[in-house]
Amino acid sequence: MRAPETADPAPAAIEVRSLRKAYGEVEAVRGIDLRVARGEVFALLGPNGAGKTTTVEILEGHRQRSGGDASVLGHDPGRNERALRQRVGIVLQQTGVDGYLTVREVVQMVAGYYPHPRDTDEVLALTGLSDQANRRVRKLSGGQKRRVDLAVALAGDPELLFLDEPTTGFDPSARRQAWETVRGLAALGKTVFLTTHFMDEAQALADRLAIIADGRIVATGTPDELIGSGSAATRIRFRLPPSVEAPERFGAHRVASAWELETDTPTQSLHDLTAWSLETATELADLEVTRPSLEDVYLQLTAEEAAE
Ligand code: ATP
């Protein structure tokens, strides 16, 4: 059977054009464009006050935009329609669930509001809460409570999930678990839109990301594309015996007890360096080659925006 003429083969989960938001004199969002494909994990990164929460809250239907277009699962989020709310899960930076209920009761209660909820045991397993199912929420640790927030957002089996700084306040192992949960959601085909301050989180989770600074998108792409597009250089680091200086032509400088150089042509630099090392029988101890990280690119882009 042929698909109807009007069917779009790959409609976006989120599409935003020239989105603007002003709070009086403050222009928090200054005309941004975004497209998030269905099934994608998308991260919005940016410094404090860049406009992340404003953008997310407009998409969630919690704030009205001042201008531009926004479409979330084919709906205008500004109209706050029930049909859209039922298909979206939201984890806010801070939420309060009734602490006297057990974890299972909370998830079951929320599931009752939705037409096609996900099985409660599955939600608990997905969020790593199976062992806490019968404990009262108020007795949980801060990190475990955040997982309950996530379980609440998943109870209605949403197609699209908004996560605003999902791992702030987590210890390293809780962060890793939360990452696994997000990957599990991606594997289920959910679309995830997250905001974060953590570059490693964006690098580990996001299929694509956008960096926002001062209300404008300054870069967008896959983590690898962004790392490749920046002018941040590859870093080569090594140690030499105390009596030996690195030849000047390498442009290396001392950093603590090591030598470091930055290069846009790492193959050539390594070739020159190792040739010198072999010729002079000087060992390059602890030799390390580091690609620029997303953090290097982010700091460079947000600094450029601030300078403008
Ligand atoms: P953070 O990382 O600190 O959460 P953010 O990127 O989420 O920051 P927003 O909260 O969207 O940033 O704020 C963007 C700008 O809009 C800031 O200058 C902020 O002071 C301003 N702003 C946000 N909410 C309001 C409001 N309700 N009234 C007036 N100004 C606001």
Side-chain angles (χ1 to χ4, degrees):
M1 206 175 85
R2 275 184 47 176
E5 296 287 330
T6 50
D8 181 342
I14 298 175
E15 182 116 45
V16 161
R17 288 215 194 92
S18 311
L19 185 72
R20 288 192 304 104
K21 176 70 181 177
Y23 302 104
E25 300 279 279
V26 180
E27 278 200 84
V29 175
R30 303 165 184 243
I32 66 170
D33 297 326
L34 289 176
R35 188 174 197 278
V36 180
R38 291 198 189 219
E40 192 165 67
V41 178
F42 186 92
L44 188 61
L45 283 175
N48 291 133
K52 300 181 296 297
T53 301
T54 300
T55 304
V56 176
E57 292 192 352
I58 289 170
L59 297 176
E60 291 167 348
H62 289 156
R63 289 192 205 195
Q64 290 297 328
R65 59 189 185 267
S66 314
D69 295 316
S71 164
V72 176
L73 300 177
H75 294 256
D76 178 344
R79 295 167 67 174
N80 199 15
E81 292 160 305
R82 188 185 167 89
L84 176 60
R85 286 203 310 271
Q86 286 182 337
R87 295 167 64 196
V88 170
I90 296 176
V91 181
L92 300 172
Q93 280 182 31
Q94 269 169 2
T95 49
V97 294
D98 185 344
Y100 285 90
L101 297 177
T102 66
V103 174
R104 180 186 298 282
E105 285 166 347
V106 168
V107 176
Q108 272 169 344
M109 186 183 74
V110 176
Y113 302 144
Y114 290 87
H116 307 290
R118 179 166 281 271
D119 176 73
T120 299
D121 285 321
E122 256 180 62
V123 172
L124 296 176
L126 204 54
T127 48
L129 284 168
S130 301
D131 292 343
Q132 268 79 41
N134 297 317
R135 294 185 69 196
R136 292 191 196 284
V137 172
R138 69 190 172 96
K139 300 240 165 119
L140 301 178
S141 73
Q144 289 166 335
K145 281 184 187 146
R146 294 287 290 154
R147 282 194 243 161
V148 175
D149 293 335
L150 183 57
V152 163
L154 292 178
D157 198 22
E159 289 162 55
L160 166 65
L161 203 69
F162 288 107
L163 306 174
D164 201 2
E165 297 184 16
T167 63
T168 297
F170 280 22
D171 68 28
S173 75
R175 285 184 79 210
R176 292 297 158 127
Q177 278 171 15
W179 290 4
E180 284 312 309
T181 304
V182 173
R183 291 193 182 114
L185 296 173
L188 289 171
K190 308 291 181 192
T191 307
V192 179
F193 188 102
L194 65 97
T195 71
T196 183
H197 288 291
F198 301 117
M199 304 305 126
D200 58 342
E201 186 157 294
Q203 202 160 351
L205 291 180
D207 297 312
R208 286 194 318 118
L209 55 95
I211 297 177
I212 183 169
D214 199 19
R216 289 195 184 89
I217 303 287
V218 293
T220 182
T222 66
D224 281 344
E225 281 168 358
L226 288 191
I227 290 167
S229 71
S231 56
T234 299
R235 198 173 297 136
I236 299 177
R237 192 182 163 97
F238 51 91
R239 288 179 203 279
L240 295 175
S243 56
V244 180
E245 297 264 318
E248 235 172 72
R249 67 178 188 278
F250 295 138
H253 47 273
R254 279 183 197 273
V255 177
S257 63
W259 291 83
E260 240 179 58
L261 63 92
E262 270 118 50
T263 175
D264 293 328
T265 51
T267 311
Q268 184 66 49
S269 301
L270 269 179
H271 180 80
D272 295 346
L273 199 60
T274 50
W276 169 77
S277 158
L278 293 173
E279 273 161 26
T280 58
T282 312
E283 181 60 16
L284 300 171
D286 301 330
L287 178 63
E288 236 178 55
V289 181
T290 330
R291 277 179 84 199
S293 67
L294 191 55
E295 183 155 6
D296 295 326
V297 176
Y298 168 86
L299 290 172
Q300 186 197 347
L301 286 170
T302 50
E304 280 168 12
E305 180 66 24
E308 276 171 28

